[in-house]
Amino acid sequence: MTALILHGGAGARRERNYDAEVVHMRQVVEAMKARLDAGDSALDVAVAAVTLLEDSGLYVAGKGASPNLAGAYELDASLMDGATRRAGAVAALQGFRNPVVAARAVMDRTPHVMLVGEGAALFAHDQGLEPIADEAAWYTGAGQGEDNHPPGTLSHGTVGCCVLDSRGRLAAATSTAGVFGKMPGRVGDTPIPAAGTWADGHAATSCTGQGEYFIRVAAAAQVAWRVATGQTLAQATQAVIDEIGHMGGDGGLIALDAAGNIACPFNSQGMKRAWLTPEGEIGVEVFGR
Ligand code: ASP
């Protein structure tokens, strides 16, 4: 049995057309289905899916990133392998094409979980990760259309993926440019295991929304902890989104449990998402719940 769910952010706004994203998300799920059918690991598939989402330029991550208030592109990413409980992350990384690949390298090739800023960039360089030669030419600004909140609030966009592989392993990965108009050095939930990303033996979760709220409820880990106490994935994920809503936060999350159940609650206008069920069915949705 295999299953997968990915997201392209919960910043979707009703007046925008998402035909390109819908086509792209389906293509990514189809490509990842082939990899899962071939026996690839949940972690490899999660990283591959997020890499494709970063490279598309369609979402506020990777090529579609938005700059911070100083005009710099500081990107965050993390991943977690449920089978081993290993995790890797980068925060405020500048100058590299795929932050999720840098996060994977931190996990695989350092004794640490997270590297930030200049240290993360030095490490990415040493690892031979692909640099961005010309930022002005690389970043498309395509995600800017997600800037849908009143001035002073936190508009957002992110990508992520949760995977269950044929050996029953869960993994999650998330990547973002963060919220629009963020301060230099601001770090949201995305690169923080337990906040924006989590995978253990119970559930895998990737969050999207106003990260300041997701951090304060340990959103991604809380889903798994609730599942561990006997809640269904639907109950666990809705409880976390409700708590964030009660605090005044906006966003959503995607999650998978070890039985292949999928959940994707959100309290924003929409959340771009696509999934593969254990029965092999593929679905794509932006606004419907
Ligand atoms: N959660 C991300 C952050 O706060 C943004 C997003 O998901 O859209 O950086």
Side-chain angles (χ1 to χ4, degrees), residues 98-209:
N98 293 113
V100 75
V101 174
R104 175 79 191 259
V106 172
M107 185 183 94
D108 286 345
R109 301 179 209 154
T110 81
H112 308 305
V113 167
M114 187 187 299
L115 295 176
V116 307
E118 202 178 326
L122 280 171
F123 171 72
H125 174 77
D126 288 348
Q127 293 297 313
L129 304 189
E130 189 172 342
I132 298 168
D134 178 355
E135 286 204 332
W138 174 249
Y139 289 116
T140 58
Q144 298 289 340
E146 303 286 63
D147 198 353
N148 60 342
H149 292 67
T153 59
L154 303 169
S155 300
H156 49 80
T158 286
V159 302
C161 184
C162 301
V163 185
L164 173 68
D165 68 23
S166 56
R167 290 171 53 187
R169 296 172 296 195
L170 289 160
T174 315
S175 178
T176 193
V179 292
F180 288 90
K182 66 181 184 180
M183 294 171 65
R186 179 267 186 188
V187 174
D189 61 317
T190 300
I192 302 175
T197 304
W198 185 263
D200 61 16
H202 297 286
T205 297
S206 169
C207 300
T208 167

Side-chain angles (χ1 to χ4, degrees), residues 7-104:
H7 71 78
R13 50 190 294 180
R14 286 196 192 91
E15 60 270 35
R16 258 194 74 180
N17 178 292
Y18 290 100
D19 288 352
E21 287 87 343
V22 166
V23 168
H24 182 253
M25 289 190 291
R26 180 176 291 277
Q27 287 171 347
V28 174
V29 175
E30 284 168 354
M32 295 306 109
K33 180 177 187 306
R35 291 189 59 155
L36 284 167
D37 289 347
D40 281 7
S41 74
L43 186 68
D44 285 347
V45 171
V47 171
V50 169
T51 300
L52 290 173
L53 294 165
E54 287 178 340
D55 281 347
S56 70
L58 291 170
Y59 319 91
V60 192
K63 189 169 170 58
S66 56
N68 65 18
L69 281 176
Y73 290 87
E74 293 186 333
L75 275 55
D76 304 330
S78 67
L79 51 86
M80 190 160 173
D81 182 30
T84 61
R85 297 286 282 270
R86 292 190 308 150
V90 290
L93 174 67
Q94 292 190 50
F96 289 86
R97 175 172 168 158
N98 293 113
V100 75
V101 174
R104 175 79 191 259

